[in-house]
Amino acid sequence: MRIALPLIVLAATAGATAAVAQQRHDSNAPLNFDAGHIELQDKQGRAILSGGVKVVQAEMTLTASKMTIAYSGQALNGASPQASRIDASGNVVVTRPDQTARGAYGVYDINRRTVIMLGGVTLTQGGNTVSGSRLTINLDTGKAVIDGGSGAVGGTPGTTSSSGGRVTGTFTVPKRNDSK
């Protein structure tokens, strides 16, 4: 089962429903990070961050136990390396305005401007929640696609599973005045 959602917040305002769309993400903004430890592997073009990692880019925040940032160029020779991808594992959380996604693993492809999350994924926006095994967010269009999938994800069987291969969720509805 697959469900595609526009990333919007529905809100009841004086009997009318208003939709507020997520704005386009600025993937050209700098990546600011905070971690307990960093290991630069300059020849391989990657930085491995661990220990409660937090990466902030514009209005988006990624947190995880561990992240690997792939980059081109060399950081140690005074050049300015260009990040192209972030792989995250361990309690991955992606936060954008009015929206939070959680999963076991995540990949932020900076060049493609997509975030893919795997393993017991939950997307929450306002009072709406959708869960599945895989979430793909297009940061240009704001479209989110959640797949059901089945079975364990990753190398440790039984640690992360979907809800029987189904996408599940809850959507809020506007309150009505049912007076007669």
Side-chain angles (χ1 to χ4, degrees), residues 34-96:
D34 180 40
H37 179 78
I38 184 170
E39 176 184 331
L40 281 176
Q41 297 178 350
D42 215 26
K43 287 184 181 180
Q44 291 83 15
R46 66 180 169 229
I48 301 171
L49 295 86
S50 59
V53 184
K54 178 179 178 180
V55 172
V56 178
Q57 184 182 46
E59 83 289 347
M60 184 170 71
T61 302
L62 290 83
T63 59
S65 299
K66 181 180 178 181
M67 291 187 204
T68 301
I69 300 176
Y71 61 88
S72 59
Q74 296 207 333
L76 298 178
N77 70 358
S80 181
Q82 302 293 312
S84 59
R85 177 180 166 128
I86 299 175
D87 291 276
S89 62
N91 299 316
V92 180
V93 179
V94 176
T95 306
R96 297 185 64 212

